[in-house]
Amino acid sequence: MRSKIAAGNWKMNKTYSEGMELVEALKNGPQAGGDDWVILGTPAIHLKDAVTATQDMPRMKVAAQNCHYEASGAFTGELSVSMLQSIGVQCVILGHSERRQYFKETDEVIAKKVKAVIDGGLTPIFCCGEPLHIREEGWHVRFVKGQLEKGIFGLSAEDFSKLVIAYEPIWAIGTGVTASTEQAQEMHGELRKLIADKYGAEMADATSILYGGSVKPSNAAALFSQPDVDGGLVGGASLKAETFIPIIEAMNDQA
Ligand code: PEP
């Protein structure tokens, strides 16, 4: 069953108290219904208390923004899947372009993380997306196909059925420039075709594919109305209840 999802990625923003205030404000706002989800991708310092604060909110989940693929060991500064699982975190954002760019995460490392997260019983939100020059050169679909092939197409069908994909063109992240509804739909449709070729039509139909890149209250409804766009991964506009709530409402309106 394909879910609609409004996922926030707070990145490296918010002190502890600022973050918990936002969690409370979102708890008091509109909730996702049916099989749909609101996901809060908080910094590590908020994870445990965000899980506790939302445990009576049946359609809210908490996501980490990264994890290591090893189970434990000498990896200073890192968090393992079992650590996240032990405090009730349900999802992990993986392969975000900022992790790829600033922390040099390769497709191979991301693939290991995806597998570790699934094996640990959590949901990976696998991010993919092309830089501007590749879109301008016209081979964005081939580029993103390569990210899928290296990052997630090595998974068994059973494992693949447990992940969420976020298409995030790098040129639209944090820039204020949003992909047009046509650009988003084109890529999401291509992604679904690639999944169908690899895992079959039923899997393609059941996979949630989120759009990310300057989603805002003013464009969320148009983006989410596209047939292959199942909601959004939202950075800047997820940092305030007054901008994230209308995005949750736009997702709910499509349900
Ligand atoms: C993101 O961080 O994944 C993102 C899409 O950011 P923004 O919405 O700010 O472009």
Side-chain angles (χ1 to χ4, degrees):
M1 179 68 205
R2 184 156 135 200
S3 298
K4 300 264 180 200
I5 298 169
N9 175 14
W10 298 3
K11 312 192 187 191
M12 194 175 72
N13 290 295
K14 302 220 172 275
T15 61
Y16 173 76
S17 55
E18 288 167 350
M20 294 315 296
E21 271 169 37
L22 178 54
V23 172
E24 286 307 315
L26 294 172
K27 278 174 68 176
N28 292 322
Q31 302 301 306
D35 293 307
D36 302 336
W37 297 100
V38 170
I39 301 178
L40 308 179
T42 80
I45 61 159
H46 302 100
L47 289 171
K48 184 169 189 302
D49 288 347
V51 166
T52 305
T54 55
Q55 65 194 4
D56 54 349
M57 309 302 292
R59 303 314 303 169
M60 264 190 183
K61 297 191 197 198
V62 174
Q65 299 173 14
N66 181 35
C67 67
H68 202 280
Y69 53 82
E70 291 287 355
S72 62
F75 300 101
T76 302
E78 294 291 299
L79 295 174
S80 72
V81 178
S82 62
M83 289 173 184
L84 298 174
Q85 192 262 346
S86 72
I87 58 166
V89 170
Q90 292 151 297
C91 310
V92 188
I93 299 168
L94 292 174
H96 193 282
S97 60
E98 288 154 16
R99 299 284 325 164
R100 293 175 190 262
Q101 182 181 350
Y102 303 132
F103 302 97
K104 308 292 171 233
E105 286 193 13
T106 62
D107 291 312
E108 290 70 25
V109 163
I110 295 160
K112 286 189 196 177
K113 292 185 177 196
V114 169
K115 178 71 176 135
V117 165
I118 293 171
D119 287 348
L122 278 67
T123 303
I125 302 173
F126 171 82
C127 303
C128 55
E130 78 287 354
L132 183 59
H133 73 96
I134 284 175
R135 169 141 308 247
E136 285 174 346
E137 290 161 16
W139 55 289
H140 43 287
V141 174
R142 185 152 52 89
F143 180 87
V144 173
K145 181 179 181 211
Q147 290 181 319
L148 262 56
E149 282 170 347
K150 292 187 206 141
I152 55 177
F153 277 1
L155 294 169
S156 67
E158 192 190 339
D159 282 351
F160 189 90
S161 71
K162 295 174 184 161
L163 60 71
V164 169
I165 295 174
Y167 167 59
E168 300 205 305
I170 297 172
W171 45 272
I173 298 179
T175 58
V177 179
T178 315
S180 67
T181 51
E182 292 78 18
Q183 286 170 321
Q185 172 53 32
E186 182 213 19
M187 183 62 90
H188 283 233
E190 293 290 342
L191 291 175
R192 223 175 280 287
K193 270 190 230 153
L194 291 169
I195 299 167
D197 289 347
K198 174 81 190 167
Y199 294 102
E202 210 175 306
M203 181 79 84
D205 193 46
T207 303
S208 294
I209 308 178
L210 314 183
Y211 168 79
S214 299
V215 175
K216 328 176 242 237
S218 57
N219 59 27
L223 286 162
F224 298 172
S225 70
Q226 298 305 302
D228 288 304
V229 178
D230 302 313
L233 179 57
V234 186
S238 74
L239 294 174
K240 288 188 183 153
E242 57 265 39
T243 44
F244 196 43
I245 285 174
I247 292 170
I248 295 170
E249 286 170 334
M251 186 259 300
N252 284 343
D253 287 347
Q254 299 301 323

